[in-house]
Amino acid sequence: MQDVCVFCGSSPGEDPVFMQSAKALGEAIGKASMGLVYGGAHVGLMGQVADAVLAGGQKVVGVIPQSFAHKVSHTELTELHVVDSMHTRKAMMFELAGACIALPGGFGTLEELTEVLTWAQLEFHQKPIGLLNINGYYDALLAFFDQAVLAGFIKPQHLELLIVHHDPTELLKLLEDYKPKHVTKWSH
Ligand code: AMP
């Protein structure tokens, strides 16, 4: 697999398990000799994943909008791309990676995760998309997605685009073994 794009909280979260798991994911990425692409900040889970990948001797590429690059950029990255907008950033992060993983996070993370799922269901790409469900953080969101399937707003095969696991190493393996299926949004 190529480099992996990680979406995650710019906050550390209340429970130390979130930072520990972000570190564990970074270490697993390093051990698998993959590079990291992410939002380029030194704060929260974002900084923790980046530091763990760098400590493992692998490449870390950050992509950050100019408007807040001076405030939160990580200064030790292999490469930092400063771009004009959040839209350019998201497209570039996704373009540079062969797979995506979302860790716990807030609105920013949810927006990034659901956008790459939307692109997948529209068949714009076939890259695997993983969700690291640490301590059941995403259980309520996954229950909501099930409800959306029952209500007829998400197709069951589109829900399968999201690969969920609680263990970073197992999740990376699942992404590596991923075989894209043909999915279509259009029923007519
Ligand atoms: P959130 O989950 O709301 O903390 O947002 C985190 C996600 O949105 C990251 O994956 C980033 O791409 C982006 N983001 C939001 N806030 C920041 C920030 N302060 N610094 C860098 N990126 C951020």
Side-chain angles (χ1 to χ4, degrees):
M1 200 157 71
Q2 306 153 15
D3 296 345
V4 61
C5 173
V6 171
F7 305 128
C8 60
S10 53
S11 309
E14 290 292 331
D15 190 328
V17 75
F18 296 124
M19 287 291 263
Q20 287 155 11
S21 299
K23 187 174 180 201
L25 176 65
E27 288 168 351
I29 291 171
K31 273 195 198 126
S33 299
M34 289 189 271
L36 170 73
V37 180
Y38 85 117
H42 68 84
V43 291
L45 302 191
M46 298 175 73
Q48 186 73 283
V49 180
D51 287 341
V53 177
L54 288 169
Q58 297 302 321
K59 174 183 76 170
V60 179
V61 178
V63 187
I64 197 159
Q66 197 170 16
S67 55
F68 57 89
H70 59 289
K71 290 187 188 151
V72 292
S73 286
H74 195 302
T75 54
E76 309 288 326
L77 303 181
T78 320
E79 280 172 40
L80 181 69
H81 298 273
V82 179
V83 295
D84 62 345
S85 69
M86 290 292 276
H87 293 292
T88 307
R89 175 207 225 181
K90 205 167 24 179
M92 185 170 189
M93 283 164 70
F94 187 72
E95 192 61 38
L96 292 173
C100 294
I101 293 180
L103 272 81
F107 287 136
T109 304
L110 289 174
E111 188 263 336
E112 290 167 333
L113 173 68
T114 50
E115 180 139 19
V116 296
L117 282 168
T118 306
W119 292 341
Q121 74 176 7
L122 292 170
E123 299 177 275
F124 292 175
H125 73 85
Q126 293 195 314
K127 296 179 185 180
I129 302 166
L131 185 69
L132 192 64
N133 190 14
I134 300 165
N135 270 15
Y137 176 74
Y138 278 118
D139 287 355
L141 183 69
L142 293 169
F144 172 76
F145 287 163
D146 286 336
Q147 183 189 314
V149 170
L150 286 176
F153 290 105
I154 295 177
K155 290 197 167 83
Q157 62 269 35
H158 290 151
L159 195 51
E160 287 173 20
L161 291 166
L162 186 61
I163 302 163
V164 184
H165 207 284
H166 62 273
D167 180 79
T169 305
E170 292 302 318
L171 183 60
L172 282 179
K173 270 193 214 134
L174 289 172
L175 298 190
E176 274 184 289
D177 295 344
Y178 178 73
K179 303 266 182 302
K181 286 184 206 151
H182 176 69
V183 291
T184 183
K185 177 82 177 132
W186 319 114
S187 47
H188 50 273

